[in-house]
Amino acid sequence: MAESLVRDVIQETQSRQRARRLAAREFRPRRTLAGLAAALLLTVAGGAVAIELAAQALGSGVHPVPGADRAADALGRLPWSHPGVRAGAAGVAVLGLALVLAAVPGRMRGVPLDGSDPRLAGVLRRSALRRSLADAALGVPGIERARVRGAGLVRRRVIVRAATGYRNPANLEELVHCAVDDRLDSIEPMFRPPVDVRLTWRKD
């Protein structure tokens, strides 16, 4: 019996991990155009260098790539300490870093929802999650205004700014916290953010 329970827990954990990987892969922008541009540029540059190196290795005096002879002669006269060489190397390094960063997948579109089925993945827009949490706070008696910031960002705190017309709020802040927590329980985001309630009330 205990072995069966342990096996079920392990299988459920593995299923949830697969579901999280699926959601991250499915809803994260892939930036395909930037990746294709980077791959094309690297292919063209690498092919040109490979052709020139092959021609030099075969002892050919002809440069197959147009303009390569002039560029090679100009670079051959410059020492490594020349400012132009350093600036060119820095420019190439910055361009390569920019291409790599452009091809990296972007931030996930929306808030992924938790689930144990790895074949299914759901996402909720961040604005919709903020509105839902604000509605939950407004459902607490005595709360007149509520605004949510930071909702849906992975592993970031949800800040609920609520206002009441009461002069003595008593445990109203705790009630708002419980209401937002209950709404998060019903939505079941994949990464549960901590909740921070900041309540203002009448001081006169």
Side-chain angles (χ1 to χ4, degrees), residues 8 16-17 46 50-51 53 58 64-65 79 86 90 92 109 111 115 122 128 130 138 158 168 181 194:
D8 292 342
R16 287 185 179 275
Q17 290 175 350
I51 291 172
L53 291 177
L58 294 174
V65 180
R86 294 182 176 179
V92 171
R109 299 187 297 265
V111 182
R130 285 194 291 266
L138 288 172
V158 168
N168 182 13
D181 272 339

Side-chain angles (χ1 to χ4, degrees), residues 53-86:
L53 291 177
Q56 292 294 323
L58 294 174
S60 174
V62 179
H63 292 275
V65 180
D69 52 347
R70 293 190 297 272
D73 291 340
L75 291 175
R77 297 192 210 98
L78 296 177
W80 286 103
S81 59
H82 191 275
V85 175
R86 294 182 176 179

Side-chain angles (χ1 to χ4, degrees), residues 140 168-177 199:
V140 177
N168 182 13
N171 65 336
L172 200 56
E173 182 175 326
E174 182 180 351
L175 293 177
V176 172
H177 197 286
L199 180 67

